[in-house]
Amino acid sequence: MTSTVVTSTSTVVSVGTDLLADALAGQAVEVQRVDWRPPMPGTESDLATVAADPLRHDANRRALDAMLGVTARLVDVAPAAEVLGLQRGEFLHAGPPITWDRASGPLRGGLMAGAALEGLVDDPEDAVALFESGSSVSLEPCHHRATVGPMAGVVTPGMWMFVLEDPASGRRTHCSLNEGLGKVLRYGAYSPEVLTRLRWMGDVLGPLLQAAVRASEPVDVTGILTQMLQMGDEAHNRNRAGTLMLLRDLAPAMVLSSHEAGAATADVAEAIRFVGANDHFFLNLAMPACKLALDAARGIEGSTMVVAMARNGTDFGIQVAGTGDEWFTGPAQVADGLYLGDYGPDDANPDIGDSAITETAGIGGFAMATAPAIVRLVGGSVPDALATTRRMHEITLGENPRWSVPVLDFQGTPTGIDVTRVCRTGILPQINTGMAGKVAGTGQVGAGLVTPPAEIFPKALARLAELARGRG
């Protein structure tokens, strides 16, 4: 007769409530607690169909590789009429398509300011009747014109645009110039001071930047993004290092080429002061750089990777690599965060802007761990920032080796949001955002954290499943 002595230790994996885990731990049994939850309700059949799609694995690999292979360079600054072909009365806006009757307060305010800037009306208040009639104006998403716009994202023909280019493909994307914080058009403000600043940007800042960029080697925007993530920026709500590096690259050329721009010495000094004092100036370069990368993944059949997240202040929409230019939308949420002055939650408009393109590309809220100082602007804590970046790895296809996080042992940022992983885990993308006042003309009221409405991911999954079934 023989006997067996068990010498190895065992670990019990516990899922769900803590009742069993607590009982075992009380008996000195090692317990590994797993934070698991069932898939989003109603997605089981579609998840099974998409998981079995023979195209999915290779399509997602190609989508991620295409995105990571793009680099962005600033090659020009020019009016939207010239680079986008915008005509008088044509307005671009952030987020998925919307009409004036459903437009939020800040989007309406931005459009009213844009109409006055273009000389369509003398008083921004008079623009309400113009947009209500709709006879001589039109609205179109920025994303439909290879463009992204922060907050209201309003672009008019006379606004000056950054032009970014991928040198390998020659593709280009665009974004307007950043106006600063507070009472600005992108937050829906349209007071005389807002219009005065915009006219100065059109008359002085835009031509100066154009002359400087055309006189210099193209600015390596991807390279600046890589460095700024090492310096405490997450490139959505914190762009301090990126802005100063851009100014470092452009300031000498702004001085030397001022004659070509017709600018006096005082104009150059004011332009440099304006850029240097505006910590968000580089955001309007980070956003088109992210769109340039994500657009490379569009139209890959079978891919479940998200290529755009955008909001118009009423709807939150996503687009997916394997579903073309189709939008999947749900109601935009109100951010949770910190408010300026006496403003509070009742003053805030639901989430707005194309700036979530940064999270779509794996920075912004996805890179919170690299920018712990951001928690002082958007709320939360440093441990929250670290946990957020780790959690986003659970819903992404890979990492970006260019954009690494020092405090996480230089791990790449989580990149390539996967619709199936979101539906399977119930984890929603984390977005850092500014908050606009819900009444047109108010401006910024705070900044905070927000997630997309959960239902848009099952909608996208259902469409992916429909396409997979159609392929047999």
Side-chain angles (χ1 to χ4, degrees):
M1 182 177 181
T2 60
S3 63
T4 300
V5 177
V6 178
T7 57
S8 62
T9 58
S10 298
T11 299
V12 174
V13 176
S14 171
V15 176
T17 63
D18 289 331
L19 183 63
L20 175 62
D22 290 343
L24 291 170
Q27 299 172 59
V29 176
E30 186 175 343
V31 179
Q32 179 69 49
R33 302 172 194 252
V34 177
D35 183 16
W36 178 88
R37 66 191 73 184
M40 289 181 173
T43 62
E44 296 84 355
S45 175
D46 291 334
L47 274 172
T49 298
V50 175
D53 183 356
L55 297 184
R56 183 177 63 93
H57 178 75
D58 184 60
N60 279 341
R61 180 190 59 75
R62 289 192 292 123
L64 188 62
D65 287 349
M67 174 190 167
L68 296 178
V70 171
T71 57
R73 304 189 307 173
L74 173 62
V75 296
D76 204 359
V77 183
E82 179 181 326
V83 295
L84 300 178
L86 275 189
Q87 303 295 313
R88 184 174 172 84
E90 292 183 332
F91 292 80
L92 302 186
H93 64 81
I98 194 167
T99 51
W100 172 262
D101 60 303
R102 295 187 66 245
S104 62
L107 178 52
R108 288 188 174 200
L111 291 168
M112 292 159 65
L117 184 66
E118 292 296 322
L120 298 175
V121 293
D122 292 329
D123 186 331
E125 298 283 355
D126 295 338
V128 174
L130 185 72
F131 287 105
E132 284 179 343
S133 72
S135 58
S136 59
V137 295
S138 64
L139 306 182
E140 182 182 6
C142 290
H143 270 286
H144 294 187
R145 296 282 190 112
T147 298
V148 277
M151 302 308 290
V154 170
V155 176
T156 67
M159 288 185 177
W160 285 68
M161 310 292 289
F162 287 124
V163 182
L164 273 63
E165 181 180 271
D166 172 24
S169 66
R171 287 186 304 102
R172 292 186 168 191
T173 52
H174 315 83
C175 188
S176 56
L177 311 183
N178 193 285
E179 319 155 68
L181 296 174
K183 287 192 175 297
V184 289
L185 177 149
R186 74 180 188 279
Y187 279 96
Y190 52 76
S191 61
E193 67 184 272
V194 174
L195 295 174
T196 298
R197 185 187 307 112
L198 288 169
R199 288 176 180 130
W200 173 81
M201 292 172 68
D203 294 339
V204 178
L205 182 63
L208 252 180
L209 289 172
Q210 181 187 68
V213 169
R214 290 182 176 180
S216 310
E217 289 296 316
V219 176
D220 182 359
V221 176
T222 300
I224 292 179
L225 277 165
T226 300
Q227 296 176 66
M228 63 194 281
L229 290 176
Q230 305 279 320
M231 298 166 69
D233 286 351
E234 41 73 90
H236 188 168
N237 258 334
R238 185 179 168 89
N239 288 272
R240 181 167 298 176
T243 296
L244 294 178
M245 280 189 282
L246 175 70
L247 195 59
R248 174 202 61 186
D249 288 353
L250 288 182
M254 290 171 72
V255 173
L256 295 174
S257 59
S258 58
H259 178 72
E260 286 80 359
T265 302
D267 293 329
V268 180
E270 177 57 18
I272 291 175
R273 186 208 63 78
F274 177 81
V275 174
N278 177 6
D279 289 343
H280 279 63
F281 197 78
F282 189 80
L283 171 63
N284 291 39
L285 287 161
M287 289 172 56
C290 291
K291 178 168 175 59
L292 193 59
L294 288 157
D295 279 358
R298 285 180 179 267
I300 296 180
E301 187 178 17
S303 174
T304 58
M305 193 177 92
V306 176
V307 293
M309 296 194 294
R311 318 82 100 196
N312 55 35
T314 302
D315 308 313
F316 192 121
I318 61 171
Q319 294 178 307
V320 181
T323 56
D325 293 331
E326 189 172 352
W327 288 96
F328 305 97
T329 63
Q333 313 291 299
V334 175
D336 181 18
L338 302 177
Y339 291 88
L340 304 175
D342 295 332
Y343 292 122
D346 291 340
D347 301 308
N349 193 77
D351 198 19
I352 184 170
D354 287 334
S355 56
I357 196 72
T358 56
E359 278 81 7
T360 318
I363 50 180
F366 282 46
M368 286 275 280
T370 202
I374 194 65
V375 301
R376 300 191 67 180
L377 176 65
V378 298
S381 65
V382 172
D384 291 339
L386 295 172
T388 296
T389 295
R390 291 191 177 105
R391 189 167 65 254
M392 293 302 100
H393 280 283
E394 297 188 39
I395 59 171
T396 47
L397 295 168
E399 300 173 359
N400 190 331
R402 282 198 186 95
W403 298 337
S404 60
V405 182
V407 74
L408 296 181
D409 200 19
F410 293 95
Q411 182 181 24
T413 57
T415 302
I417 300 168
D418 182 1
V419 168
T420 65
R421 294 179 191 227
V422 173
C423 291
R424 201 175 66 213
T425 65
I427 297 173
L428 297 172
Q430 182 70 67
I431 299 166
N432 293 346
T433 188
M435 286 186 277
K438 65 183 178 184
V439 176
T442 301
Q444 185 177 13
V445 299
L449 305 174
V450 71
T451 59
E455 61 264 37
I456 60 179
F457 293 95
K459 288 180 181 177
L461 179 70
R463 178 62 174 149
L464 288 162
E466 181 184 2
L467 293 172
R469 293 184 188 108
R471 289 192 292 270

